[in-house]
Amino acid sequence: MCGIVGYTGFRQAAPILLEGLERLEYRGYDSAGIAINQGEEIKIIKSMGRLSALREKCGGGCCAPGFVGIGHTRWATHGRPSDVNSHPHVSENGRIAIVHNGIIENFAALKEMLMKRGRVFQSETDTEVAAQLIDYFYKGNILEAVARAVRELEGSYALGVVCSDDPDTLVAVKSHAPLIVAYGEGENYFASDVMALVSHTKTVSYLDDDELAVVTKDGIKFYTPFLDTVSKEKFTVDWDVSAADKGGYEHYMFKEIMEQPEAVFRTIEPYVRSGRVDLSDMLEKDYINKMERIVIIACGSSGHVGVIAKYNIEKLARIPVEVVLASEFRYCDPIINSNTLVICISQSGETADTLEAQNEAKRLGAKTLAIVNVEGSSIAKSAEKVFYTKAGPEIAVATTKAYSTQLAATVLVALYVADCRGAISPSEYESILSELKAVPEKMRKILDDKSNIQYLAYQHFNNEDLFFIGRNIDYALSLEGSLKLKEISYIHSEAYAAGELKHGTISLVVNETLVIAVATYERLVEKTLSNALEVKARGAHVMGVTKESLKDKLSSAMDEIITIPDTHDVLLPSLAVLPLQLFAYYIALYRGCDIDKPRNLAKSVTVE
Ligand code: AGP
């Protein structure tokens, strides 16, 4: 997934584009570039590598004077990271320059068609095909050429276009990829998301699929694919610029780990009134009592939230819950009907696998509820109902505060559904709600006492292979602990159901293999203890993660132990995830990894 940004106005465009790209770099960072429309020509400056390389190449922007331009930061899909494959891409005659986020699935056929008509290509990318195609249809009106060209495109795209014949104008168009336009005073913008522009404006409009926008310094006009004009609502985003910087922390990830208590509080507080959870604006009670099952669909860490939610919702509400990877859902002939509640979980709200899975679930008749962190995102707009988490902008590629707010949201859903179905006793309901409201304070206690975790990370940062094991919600949490470690420290790790390890994979356990035994769930702690002893008997080094009241039971069997405050079972993962996040963070820190922008990753994967 890539980041695109455009500016037209009275200020020099290049510095504004570079700043916007800096705020979008979390979307992809293997190469970057800008194009400045200088009238007679379009000046292109681009380079492989981080944005800092581009900034240096264009002297902070002063090597590219001009008031209109587009910019791009890349996560390679077609064509390896290189100078020539970097965006912006231009038509052969240099008249059209574009930036693109997405994948044009029929680019090969279009490229062949254009080459047969004499067009010569420079790069391996699908984006260059789009630039050449726009120029192929160009008859003097850039809007008409873009509208005509995109009718030939299949796949996903958010495009920003400049044309040397039209020096004041930007054209923007999207299909199945995020794109916003934004309003200034005598200047206007487009971008992949509002983060790029939050220091300039908070007034935005969201383009719907296939709509086009013509952006000039005097205003923004919107069109259908057949060039009928449409009007778009303006929104004011409630993020402030402080959310987009590190606030004095070394990494966004650490800042976001530390922000979790407040993020969880902001997420649950609006839905708890007079000691009751009220989600009635998302889920009608009649439907809750009619529905037959819940299917949770997501990717990555959001999928791990789904696995925990499955255990919690089934335990409290006694309704079947299935968790399906979004990338699998569409191709497994899912059995879905109007009595199925499909819950899609996504931080970005732009994950293509999850968006397409949600659309498939809707087509099959399901009721859809999306748990999303970004307002106005594609998954939020496509869902029937939305539960917005209040994590605020999450910049680090590895999610932390969004994960925790999603977890809190699913506990509210579990409580509400259980209560509506009469499946939970008043005392259990009150106990869980009381403990949920205490989660932020208990999180703060864990975060205040992180030195032991930092010390343990220092003992183990040279490991190259380790296991996370647990049972029930501890297993579900192990999935996230393992992914956090893998994605930022590049250490290979596996999360395994503790009871399953002995059925084969235990053959990989040798002397000093690090095994992290997550054992907070009291009902199964003896079982997990036995599994920990099994690996210890084979030479493993076992670190336990448990709750205070179980520490004595486990400490003799563990080489090290990390504890969390006691809480209700359904909330154990909300607390136990913090030590696992911190452990991964500190290990990556000691290994000198690029924590906020890990190799090969992007914050939101908007391609399938
Ligand atoms: C989380 O640390 C990863 N960056 C990744 O697994 C992420 O959770 C996944 O891509 C889903 O993203 P979403 O929540 O924005 O849909």
Side-chain angles (χ1 to χ4, degrees), residues 299-302 345-349 351 354 397-399 406 480 483-484 487 602-605:
C299 304
S301 293
S302 295
I345 304 176
S346 175
Q347 185 286 130
S348 63
T351 300
T354 309
V397 167
T399 184
Q406 290 167 352
E480 179 58 12
L483 178 61
K484 279 286 93 46
E487 63 180 335
K603 182 60 182 173
S604 167
V605 184

